Structure formats: structure tokens, C-alpha cells
Amino acid sequence: MNIGTSRILGAALATATAVSVAVAPPAFAHRNPSPQPPISVVAAGLEGPFEVSAAFGRLIVTESGTGQVHAIDPKTGNKRTLVSGLGEGAPSGAVQIGHRTFIVTGEAGGPPEESAEAAPTLPYPGSSVLAAHHGRVHQHADLLAFELANNPDGQTQFGPDGAPLDALSNPFFVIAERHRFGSLLVADGGANAVLRVNRHGSVSAYFVPPTVNTGACEGRPNNDEKTVGCDSVPTGLAYGPRNTLYVSALTGEAPGEGRVYILNARTGRVLKTISGFTSPTGVAVRPDGTFYVSEVLHNAPTAEPGPGFDPAQIGRIVKVAADGSRSYAAVTMPTGVLWQRGKLYASAWSIAGFLGIEGAGQVVAVADSAFSTPRS
């Protein structure tokens, strides 16, 4: 694959910006500057917030930078830590089912070219689904073992020297599967597949998006000679109306080649493919079929930026109406998005830590008034 972990995603941004950007802490929004501000901060001071899910009236948020999972009251911003001690950079997504919290952890290291010494030691296995209950954490499913045994995308995994050609398994987000109590769906960017994990921890392939070979992806070299183009790299998952499942796909970070696949939720069959996104990392759907896509690297510089570059300009959320029209909200570095009880929530400044901006992560509520259509 071309990219698969939150760590590598942030590193891509840091590589382009760290040299000359004069970073400053973000300006946090006030709680009540107006009756309905376009973007209001629900929680601040987070380190690397990624997926946002919901349970029991609370927002469930992974904090990758501290290895924690929190339950946040969307009305007051009060935060209660559900799970801690997962290791810095480990948790990327979490969902609560009953009294158990299920967490996906990315691989411990970066791409193969990174040295082994640079990989952090994690207290729990990477490329896994962990289950936490009453303070106890255990491995619920081994996603790397499934990838090694089954290789859903069929790509060559190892080079002649026995080293991995690229990331093998890097789960990004997780949701509870409808109509199957205790079952999970996991967007595994490294495996290029959406995986099903049943209540007993058994893993199977649910959906394998195709390699993309159009636009900026056309002819792009891949892991082996037989594979050309951008790997799909599924990231976000959300249920939609009429028994559908929406899957966002990063598509190798190629500009304009990101995808949202709309599936039959029961069979995993593709009903529609919507393109034209850049580095989508999350998707949320309203009951009327309007959906939102987070573009964490939108407007990120591809080379060293000039003096005074403002990192707050990076990222946006795309709103796609039921008729296909698009509008945009300027949310900085959003990763996870969630439509819950008539409101849109998102993580923001989610990869600011890779720019050396500490404690900048937020969870924000985004009103319809935040979206506009650029003038041509």
C-alpha cells in the first residue's frame, strides 16, 4: 500500500512543513460566541484525536498521542477516560458495545525504509483489535495474522530479502456491525480491505476495494510489477440510509483520486463509487443520504512552504448533498467525522503533533452554516 497508519499520515505532513513553518497554537473557539456558531469546540487540549464514535449519549474519541480512549459529553465537554496505557501512537479508532470498548491499533513501526530502532515499543500488539472491560485489556483479534494467512488484496507482501514491501496491516477506524451483535467492521488501510471481526474474534474479509489506476494514480508503481496504480487504503466507515454502508478510501493520497464506496451493507456489494476527494480519512452520513468526508491533507504543501505559512489552512470537510452538489467547511486537519442526533462532529488538528504543536487536538461541532461553495 502507499500509506496506512496515522503515524505515516502525519509524517507526510511534517515532511512538507516542518522546516520553515512558524507554528503557533490554534485559536480555540469560545463556547458561546453566538447562538449557533459555525464551528464550536466541544473538547480541546487533545493529542492526536482520530476516530469519533458515540455510545450512551457520549462521544467516544481516541487520543493517539497519549494512547487513551475518552468518553466526552457533547454538551459540557467533560471528559472521562475509558482506556489508557495503550502506548503513544497506538490507538486510531474505538467503538463501545455494551460495557466493552473495542480499539484498533496500528502497526508499531512506519514504512519498511524506517529503521527498526525508530519503531516504538507498544504495551499491546499492533495491527489488532483490543477489547477493554473494567480496566482490563486483551487482544480480541489479530489482524496481522489474518493478513499474513489470507492476503485479501493479493499483492506481494515480501521482497526477495524477506522484508515487507509495505505496510501489511494498519487498522484505522472501527464500527459496530448492524444486525450482528458484537460484530465489528474494521477499515484496515494496510491490508487494503474492510474486515469483519465477529464476537468471538474471528476475522474475515468483508470488502476489498480495487486498486485505482486513473488520474494521478495512472501507471504509479506499486509493491510489485503486476500491481500498478494507487492502493485503496480504506479509512472511514459509516452506515447510511436504505441498508447502505459508506467506505472512504485514501487512495494513496493522490489528489482528487480519493473515493467513497457505497455498499449494500448486508452483502458488501458496491452500489456506487464517488470520486474527486483528496486524502479522505472519515465519512459520516445523514438519514437523507447527505454525507460528509474529512480531507485531512487538503491544501497541505507538497514542498517546503514559504515563511509565515499557516497550518490552520490545512484540511477541510466536504459535504455532498443528496443531489451530488458539494460544499466545504474549513475545519483544520479533520480525521474522524460523525453524524449523531442531528449534529456533525469531527476531530480537528488531529495530526498537529507532527508539526510540533502540542495539545492542539480538538473535537468540534460543525453546523450547516460552516459550509459554503467557493466562487468560480
Side-chain angles (χ1 to χ4, degrees):
M1 61 165 292
N2 304 101
I3 190 169
T5 64
S6 57
R7 185 177 300 107
I8 304 172
L9 184 66
L13 174 62
T15 299
T17 61
V19 176
S20 63
V21 172
V23 294
F28 297 113
H30 295 291
R31 281 230 162 258
N32 294 303
S34 62
Q36 287 186 324
I39 301 173
S40 57
V41 176
V42 175
L46 303 174
E47 296 286 355
F50 282 89
E51 183 173 10
V52 183
S53 60
F56 305 111
R58 299 293 189 268
L59 302 178
I60 309 302
V61 181
T62 51
E63 193 178 6
S64 178
T66 62
Q68 300 181 91
V69 181
H70 306 293
I72 297 174
D73 187 325
K75 295 181 180 179
T76 66
N78 290 338
K79 180 178 68 175
R80 179 169 63 91
T81 300
L82 300 175
V83 186
S84 60
L86 298 174
E88 181 179 347
S92 55
V95 65
Q96 205 169 12
I97 302 177
H99 296 289
R100 292 202 294 174
T101 304
F102 294 91
I103 307 134
V104 289
T105 58
E107 67 176 6
E113 62 268 20
E114 291 186 0
S115 65
E117 289 78 8
T121 300
L122 301 177
Y124 299 97
S127 300
S128 296
V129 178
L130 306 179
H133 185 233
H134 293 316
R136 297 182 178 181
V137 180
H138 70 273
Q139 186 184 48
H140 179 66
D142 188 336
L143 303 183
L144 178 58
F146 176 81
E147 165 66 20
L148 292 172
N150 298 275
N151 192 16
D153 68 356
Q155 293 188 24
T156 301
Q157 297 174 319
F158 299 94
D161 61 354
L165 292 173
D166 215 327
L168 297 176
S169 171
N170 276 309
F172 200 64
F173 284 171
V174 57
I175 63 173
E177 186 175 11
R178 284 183 180 172
H179 313 302
R180 291 172 178 255
F181 181 77
S183 181
L184 307 166
L185 294 178
V186 178
D188 190 330
N192 292 308
V194 178
L195 306 176
R196 171 184 283 142
V197 179
N198 73 13
R199 62 188 302 177
H200 304 294
S202 297
V203 185
S204 59
Y206 170 82
F207 170 58
V208 183
T211 300
V212 174
N213 197 27
T214 59
C217 292
E218 185 174 0
R220 179 184 285 192
N222 209 296
N223 294 357
D224 50 42
E225 294 181 357
K226 69 179 182 180
T227 305
V228 178
C230 297
D231 291 338
S232 57
V233 194
T235 50
L237 302 165
Y239 280 102
R242 296 178 293 280
N243 194 39
T244 54
L245 178 73
Y246 288 58
V247 180
S248 60
L250 198 70
T251 320
E253 293 184 345
E257 292 301 320
R259 301 288 199 265
V260 170
Y261 297 95
I262 303 177
L263 313 179
N264 179 308
R266 291 192 181 276
T267 66
R269 181 174 63 88
V270 177
L271 302 176
K272 189 175 184 179
T273 301
I274 303 172
S275 60
F277 303 101
T278 297
S279 301
T281 52
V283 62
V285 191
R286 286 166 53 161
D288 66 354
T290 297
F291 67 94
Y292 303 87
V293 178
S294 54
E295 294 185 328
V296 66
L297 294 180
H298 169 74
N299 205 36
T302 56
E304 182 180 334
F309 175 78
D310 183 5
Q313 299 175 7
I314 299 172
R316 68 180 180 182
I317 296 177
V318 184
K319 177 182 177 182
V320 183
D323 64 2
S325 60
R326 300 188 183 192
S327 54
Y328 308 89
V331 177
T332 302
M333 305 178 209
T335 303
V337 285
L338 172 73
W339 181 261
Q340 178 70 7
R341 297 185 178 181
K343 290 186 177 181
L344 179 68
Y345 298 96
S347 55
W349 292 87
S350 60
I351 52 177
F354 291 93
L355 293 178
I357 311 175
E358 298 182 358
Q362 301 173 342
V363 175
V364 298
V366 186
D368 277 345
S369 59
F371 292 87
S372 62
T373 303
R375 295 178 180 178
S376 57

